[in-house]
Amino acid sequence: VVVVGVAVGIVSHAVPLYISECAPGDLRGRLNAVNSVFIVLGQVIASLTCCFIAHLRVPQGWRWMLGLGSLPGAGMYIGFMVLPESPRYILLRGGGDDESRHKAEDVLNELRGKGAAAEVRKEVDAVLESLRESGVPPTLREALRPRGVQRALVLGMSLQLLQQFSGVNTLMYYSATILQMSISNGSGACDSAAPSELA
């Protein structure tokens, strides 16, 4: 469970970052919204799959429920292997030299199509300019020193705590049980598959 939690945390950070660094400026917001929609859709599909397995009363069904969860992860891992590195990462690693610039342009041309060469050059120039302006990355202490950053951090942490205390995670994890209990005759699709019967 801890490994899955860490993996979900990494993916939740890496995927929006990759989309933001590779997508055209006018599509970044929409693509990140689509990413969020597919996350929720995946949760719904996972719940329905587990409900189906519970309804079939498959022996050792809980093992199937956990095991099937590795298939989307494996597909995502394979997908990450064939995706190119983001242009910003290439330029950052290469120090903005000509070779890294050509690699970044090649990646963007591959993602956007050959007809967008002029826009690609402008975008690479903008990334290089932002990297020059940022200079040497600050230490954690230096990054947290400005009052505005401190306020934003406290606000973000407070929102996360409020989300945890609101009970939304309990609702997500026990949604199947809550739905089962809400059915008056207990004869829904995910009815009374006791854990002992699935073990």
Side-chain angles (χ1 to χ4, degrees):
V1 175
V2 174
V3 174
V4 172
V6 171
V8 168
I10 292 171
V11 169
S12 299
H13 172 75
V15 172
L17 181 64
Y18 186 84
I19 291 172
S20 298
E21 291 186 356
C22 293
D26 58 333
L27 293 178
R28 284 175 193 152
R30 277 179 277 181
L31 288 175
N32 275 310
V34 168
N35 176 52
S36 299
V37 168
F38 273 96
I39 288 173
V40 176
L41 182 62
Q43 291 173 336
V44 171
I45 292 172
S47 295
L48 293 175
T49 302
C50 291
C51 178
F52 180 70
I53 292 172
H55 183 67
L56 292 179
R57 310 216 187 263
V58 177
Q60 303 290 324
W62 66 272
R63 296 179 190 270
W64 282 97
M65 294 177 192
L66 287 176
L68 288 174
S70 65
L71 295 180
M76 193 169 196
Y77 179 79
I78 294 169
F80 272 139
M81 293 298 104
V82 299
L83 284 175
E85 294 174 335
S86 76
R88 186 178 184 87
Y89 175 75
I90 292 170
L91 293 168
L92 182 63
R93 190 182 60 183
D97 59 10
D98 288 339
E99 183 182 354
S100 62
R101 182 186 175 92
H102 290 310
K103 283 184 181 176
E105 288 179 358
D106 289 343
V107 167
L108 285 176
N109 282 322
E110 182 183 342
L111 293 173
R112 312 269 171 85
K114 296 295 182 183
E119 294 177 13
V120 164
R121 281 194 293 273
K122 287 181 184 176
E123 187 167 344
V124 169
D125 288 337
V127 171
L128 282 170
E129 184 63 28
S130 71
L131 289 175
R132 289 191 195 101
E133 288 176 359
S134 62
V136 179
T139 63
L140 181 61
R141 184 185 298 268
E142 292 170 345
L144 295 176
R145 188 170 294 150
R147 302 289 283 181
V149 173
Q150 293 174 9
R151 283 195 298 269
L153 180 63
V154 170
L155 177 63
M157 292 172 64
S158 300
L159 288 172
Q160 286 291 329
L161 284 172
L162 182 63
Q163 178 187 2
Q164 297 301 316
F165 288 131
S166 70
V168 67
N169 288 340
T170 304
L171 186 64
M172 285 174 54
Y173 293 136
Y174 294 101
S175 58
T177 304
I178 293 169
L179 288 173
Q180 181 182 348
M181 291 169 61
S182 68
I183 299 172
S184 58
N185 58 6
S187 59
C190 286
D191 58 345
S192 62
S196 59
E197 295 172 355
L198 297 175

